[in-house]
Amino acid sequence: MQRALFDPQRGYYSRHIKTVGARGDFSTSATLSPALGKGVATWLKGESKLNPRVRHIIEIGAGDGSLMRRVRRSLGVWNRWRFQFHIVETSPVLHHQQQRLLGTKTHWHDDLETALAAANGKAFIYHNELLDAFPAVLVEWQNGQWQEVWLPEQLQPLSLDPAPFSALGHLSFQNGQRCEIHASVRSWLQNWLPHWKNGSMLTIDYGDLFPQLYHRRPKGTLRGYFMHQRLYWPELLANPGRQDITADINFTDYRSWMGEFGCEEASFQTMAHFLPSDGSQLTDLDGAGTAFKCLVHRKI
């Protein structure tokens, strides 16, 4: 999954990603409705009143730039003047799209540590549909134990420490149940959170708490998107580097890790509750309003 999405020469996000939206492989909540940009801007205004010393805004993985453009417009002239805007982007293709859309009043960075250094560690951070593209380890419950699914398809002994992952401590699944373990998300948080000194972070992604996440999902949540077609195992293996691959987020684990690394959780709600009232056209779409969760964490 890491190579298929992020390999510098052949990875989907590095070289082959098509336009995000109706003509591309997939749509994001940011490209479907302006409501999300308004919702993020409203959140930023509220956090700014609570913490007026923070003057930097960082978006991680900004897609084609649509969300940041709408956020800036919705903030109003005064707030646009007050803040400095940053994007963390690893995809050269998307970086180019963002620059064309947003112009010169945005600062780009290759990683979050560099962006936080530019902000002296004080920033409001948000990311939308970022974590679901982090590489996941696929595991399967067989004969009373968890095993890793390898390629070509075969089961191998578990190499992960089960302690930080709620699924690996669950011992009552039926044979064949598959789950995704986002060890990469935990490592990512562990690396950059010490550089964040002050501010708030909004996380928007699809997923659920454990074990509800896998209710009636015996094959797990891992899937691919190619020309707006949803592909499951083993079809999702057919186009490496030419399609998106994603897995739902286990928010039981994510919330636990954020607390472990010193962040205070301020709220956890569905997107339907987070968005302003005019966001109904997004929250009704394919159940997105409840499938997507919005979390706010603070460092003060």
Side-chain angles (χ1 to χ4, degrees):
M1 188 170 175
Q2 171 72 34
R3 292 178 62 192
L5 294 180
F6 302 108
D7 180 84
Q9 280 73 46
R10 296 186 175 185
Y12 178 71
Y13 283 103
S14 301
R15 290 288 180 264
H16 302 296
I17 186 171
K18 297 181 181 179
T19 304
V20 178
R23 292 179 297 174
D25 292 322
F26 60 93
S27 296
T28 68
S29 51
T31 62
L32 292 171
S33 167
L36 184 59
K38 294 177 182 178
V40 174
T42 299
W43 170 75
L44 285 167
K45 291 175 185 177
E47 293 299 318
S48 181
K49 290 179 181 178
L50 293 174
N51 197 348
R53 298 171 296 168
V54 178
R55 298 297 182 90
H56 295 265
I57 294 173
I58 301 173
E59 181 175 356
I60 315 171
D64 65 358
S66 298
L67 181 55
M68 177 164 279
R69 181 173 65 172
R70 287 170 177 155
V71 168
R72 292 202 309 202
R73 289 177 176 175
S74 300
L75 281 172
V77 175
W78 169 247
N79 282 313
R80 286 202 299 270
W81 178 83
R82 285 184 64 235
F83 288 112
Q84 292 188 44
F85 295 88
H86 306 260
I87 287 178
V88 176
E89 184 58 67
T90 60
S91 167
V93 177
L94 294 178
H95 186 163
H96 179 64
Q97 293 181 18
Q98 295 159 12
Q99 285 184 313
R100 286 194 303 173
L101 191 68
L102 298 172
T104 60
K105 295 183 178 179
T106 304
H107 306 279
W108 275 268
H109 309 271
D110 293 330
D111 55 62
L112 190 47
E113 292 89 333
T114 305
L116 286 169
N120 295 315
K122 301 177 181 179
F124 297 130
I125 304 168
Y126 67 91
H127 50 90
N128 173 55
E129 298 186 57
L130 172 77
L131 304 179
D132 58 80
F134 273 61
V137 176
L138 188 63
V139 298
E140 182 173 316
W141 181 254
Q142 280 290 348
N143 302 319
Q145 62 181 344
W146 286 108
Q147 299 183 67
E148 294 181 10
V149 181
W150 284 26
L151 295 177
E153 187 170 357
Q154 56 181 297
L155 297 181
Q156 294 288 336
L158 189 69
S159 63
L160 296 169
D161 175 8
F165 308 107
S166 56
L168 298 183
H170 194 80
L171 307 178
S172 58
F173 277 124
Q174 296 293 319
N175 269 354
Q177 175 69 52
R178 289 186 169 185
C179 298
E180 300 81 22
I181 308 300
H182 277 107
S184 58
V185 173
R186 188 174 190 275
S187 297
W188 176 70
L189 292 172
Q190 206 167 14
N191 288 336
W192 73 261
L193 276 173
H195 302 271
W196 187 36
K197 306 304 180 186
N198 188 269
S200 307
M201 180 169 71
L202 171 64
T203 298
I204 305 170
D205 227 313
Y206 44 85
D208 209 338
L209 299 174
F210 182 86
Q212 298 97 301
L213 177 61
Y214 294 103
H215 179 60
R216 295 185 178 177
R217 288 171 137 178
K219 296 303 180 183
T221 71
L222 188 68
R223 57 200 181 275
Y225 289 94
F226 184 71
M227 297 298 292
H228 285 277
Q229 294 183 357
R230 187 180 298 178
L231 306 174
Y232 292 97
W233 192 282
E235 287 77 14
L236 68 83
L237 303 176
N239 300 293
R242 296 192 293 123
Q243 65 181 1
D244 190 29
I245 306 175
T246 182
D248 282 24
I249 297 304
N250 180 336
F251 282 110
T252 295
D253 286 352
Y254 184 70
R255 297 170 78 186
S256 174
W257 300 336
M258 291 296 290
E260 176 187 348
F261 299 140
C263 298
E264 175 187 349
E265 184 176 307
S267 65
F268 176 57
Q269 57 190 324
T270 65
M271 183 181 285
H273 288 94
F274 173 79
L275 288 180
S277 57
D278 62 351
S280 58
Q281 69 271 32
L282 174 60
T283 58
D284 289 340
L285 181 65
D286 196 28
T290 54
F292 278 77
K293 305 299 186 295
C294 301
L295 293 83
V296 174
H297 290 90
R298 295 189 181 120
K299 268 200 170 183
I300 300 175

